[in-house]
Amino acid sequence: MASGGASVASLWTEVNRCGHSGDYTRALKALTKILHENRDDVTALHCKLVCLIQNGSFKEALNVMNTHSKVLGSDVVFEKAYCEYRLNRVESALKTIEGAPEQTDKLKELYGQVLYRLERYDDCKSVYTDLIRNSQDEYEEERKTNMAAVVASMSQWEEAPLEDLGLPESTYELCYNAACSLIGQGQFTEALNKLRQAEELCRVSLADDSDVTEEDIDSELAVIHSQMAYVMQLQGRTDEALQLYNQVIKLKPSDVGLLAVTANNIITINKDQNVFDSKKKVKLTNAEGVEYKLAKKQLQAIDLNKALLAMYTNQADQCRKLSSSLQSQNPGHPRPVLIQVAQLCREKQHSKAIELLQQFSDQHPESASGIKLTMAQLYLVQGHVTKACDVLRSIEEFKHKSGMVSALVTMYSHEEDIDGAIDVFRQAIEHYQSEQPGSAAHLALVREAANFKLKYGRKKEAISDLEQLWKQNTNDIHTLAQLISAYSLVDTNKAKSLSKHLPSADKMAFNVDVDELENSHGATYVRKKAAKVTGENLLKEQGQGDIKKKRKKKKGKLPKNCDPKATPDPERWFPMRERSYYRGKKKGKKKEQIGKGTQGAMAGASAELDASKTASSPPTSPRPGSASGSSAAPASNMVPPRQQKPAASGATRKKAPQKKKKGGKGGW
């Protein structure tokens, strides 16, 4: 026993020495010998767990804790939760922490990390707020950095408003997280400036360390450069962004998440071009452990781009497989369905695509807005304009938007369905009348409805809209003039009574700014002419004389052999054969008949067949002095002209309205 006790003491000395030197593998050998003597030694078990965790043997550490759970008890709650967290068993780690009898500071730190991985940002923010307020140690800067990361994630993934927590930007990590928060708010210029500031801080802080090489600095700056390229891409500076992305890829950083995001962004720049490069880059997004490094929305975006790349490379089966997998993971998300529809359209299966869209909109009405816009576009591609209008009118979210009303009116007008277009105006006006009466959008719709009705001859319907507008603003002379014009075709007495409200001509002229009118673009030519005339008048006043110069009229040329004293022939304007003194050509001159008529035809036969030369045939046009109606044919023999619908000079093809995220404003 004495020798055994002396041996155990020496082993503990060895463990202590290895712990100070960081040789955890050698310490494990000594601890194994100690536990061989006493397998339930709590101190030895605890030290063994620390050594295993330091060596990254998290599974073995968990096995030790599970085997000796009765002996260790709740003393190793932190170690167990940490091992589960490092093994990406995040849900198990959460249960272990929440089941702990006491929440220590180090357990709260781990709790915040677990909540961040689970994307429960509100709870994570509360944990870090409590730690920053109630802790005073050397880890305060790390806690503030984690807090800034939580705020940035809320801004980017949850679109939460930016909250100023008073966090300093003294380190490049804090400055980088502040830039990410600005990106989430759409402040790209400010974010880019902040990223440049973070780059400078990183270079300065790492330059002080003599052990850090230039390659290490570039590797540390890779995440900042990738984020700068992302901002440039959002700003439309794709060439600069692509150059930075490729620089990051060439560095081959150890962070698989950074590589995956950078490769995905390059694929989005390539789109349907340079697909061979995209197929190389997509391999970087499949690296092991990527799913534990990125947020769910980032992973979802990468999977969507994979499906789109499969579609662009004509891998139809792969595209269907990826999009179906995405749809099963996110049943209410419309994008996987839209990718499937795009693939079907590439295969000319429009009817099946519309059926798939209809099925999704029925199952998920909360996400049906974009789906119905796509469905309407497919109907337009097939030429079913009325069906497209029915689908658009079923979208309650955009139904009364100005852009939607404009698109519907245009399509109904194209189909010559004026009643349908007027009904669209009516529903929109009623909506604004109940929700926003008298607003600018409401009055604009009423005015456009009145103009549309006037254009298509619906005077009586337009009058009510014009009266409504005029009542809102009785000083609106333009509306009053339109109202009078409409009443003049329906009720002249009413038009006369309304015309009394028009201002007098003197009053209207009194408000005209003559100088502004003369300086306008249309009056430029008149003003120049006026200046020229004024200059001529001044010359005349200086002695040029008031004699007006008259142009000499040139005498017209008379024909040859013309006797100016003779009386002109009153029938000179008639054709020769219609004049009273015309006797026809002399007969018997056979030479004149040579070469006339068809080959082999006889002159006599042609004369006999000429109905105009027979006595019973009336002349083709009245002779001078005869009655115009004496030789007219009976009315029953006349073929009445056919009234046909005039054909347009060229068919106008209207472009189908594109799909919108939000209701836009459109004009008529």
Side-chain angles (χ1 to χ4, degrees), residues 17 33 59 96 114 262 340 369 376 426 452 474 555:
R17 184 171 59 253
K33 294 178 181 179
K59 286 185 178 180
T96 302
V114 171
T262 305
Q340 295 180 44
S369 299
R426 181 186 59 79
F452 183 83
T474 55
K555 294 182 179 180

Side-chain angles (χ1 to χ4, degrees), residues 64 104 136 146 172 183-184 212 272 276 302 342 349 363 377 383 394 408 439 495 498 510 517 534 567 587 620:
V64 171
T104 60
Q136 292 182 352
N146 291 342
Y172 71 92
I183 293 172
V212 177
D272 57 343
F276 293 106
I302 290 174
Q349 301 183 35
Q363 294 176 354
Q377 185 175 1
S394 65
L408 286 170
S439 63
L498 285 173
F510 182 74
L517 184 61
T534 306
T567 305
K587 298 180 180 180
T620 57

Side-chain angles (χ1 to χ4, degrees), residues 311-511:
M311 183 185 71
Y312 287 138
T313 52
N314 297 321
Q315 296 175 304
D317 295 336
Q318 181 72 6
C319 177
R320 291 191 192 93
K321 182 179 178 181
L322 290 170
S323 56
S324 299
S325 175
L326 281 170
Q327 189 177 3
S328 62
Q329 295 173 12
N330 305 278
H333 203 290
R335 288 188 180 179
V337 180
L338 291 174
I339 293 175
Q340 295 180 44
V341 168
Q343 180 61 44
L344 289 170
C345 290
R346 288 171 70 91
E347 298 170 0
K348 307 299 181 184
Q349 301 183 35
H350 294 93
S351 301
K352 192 173 181 180
I354 292 175
E355 182 180 350
L356 183 63
L357 291 171
Q358 184 64 53
Q359 181 181 357
F360 180 85
S361 63
D362 294 339
Q363 294 176 354
H364 305 281
E366 71 281 356
S367 305
S369 299
I371 293 294
K372 288 185 176 181
L373 286 172
T374 307
M375 195 188 309
Q377 185 175 1
L378 291 180
Y379 273 130
L380 287 174
V381 170
Q382 292 182 308
H384 304 317
V385 181
T386 305
K387 289 183 179 179
C389 291
D390 294 339
V391 172
L392 291 176
R393 295 183 73 174
S394 65
I395 306 176
E396 294 295 332
E397 184 180 354
F398 303 144
K399 187 176 180 180
H400 303 298
K401 297 283 186 180
S402 299
M404 182 63 74
V405 173
S406 176
L408 286 170
V409 169
T410 301
M411 287 190 283
Y412 276 125
S413 301
H414 180 269
E415 292 295 295
E416 298 183 0
D417 186 1
I418 308 305
D419 292 331
I422 292 176
D423 188 55
V424 171
F425 274 122
R426 181 186 59 79
Q427 291 185 3
I429 290 171
E430 289 178 356
H431 170 76
Y432 281 99
Q433 182 67 38
S434 60
E435 299 293 333
Q436 303 174 17
S439 63
H442 177 214
L443 297 179
L445 276 172
V446 175
R447 183 173 297 281
E448 293 298 334
N451 292 336
F452 183 83
K453 292 169 184 176
L454 287 172
K455 178 181 178 182
Y456 288 96
R458 305 293 182 90
K459 307 292 183 182
K460 292 182 180 179
E461 299 177 27
I463 285 173
S464 60
D465 294 333
L466 291 171
E467 284 182 339
Q468 183 180 354
L469 283 173
W470 191 53
K471 288 178 182 178
Q472 291 287 338
N473 184 10
T474 55
N475 296 324
D476 189 354
I477 302 175
H478 176 71
T479 303
L480 179 59
Q482 281 186 309
L483 186 58
I484 294 171
S485 177
Y487 265 123
S488 64
L489 300 173
V490 178
D491 188 352
T492 55
N493 295 328
K494 184 68 174 178
K496 289 179 181 179
S497 62
L498 285 173
S499 62
K500 297 178 181 178
H501 296 280
L502 288 171
S504 63
D506 297 336
K507 184 177 180 181
M508 293 178 68
F510 182 74
N511 294 327

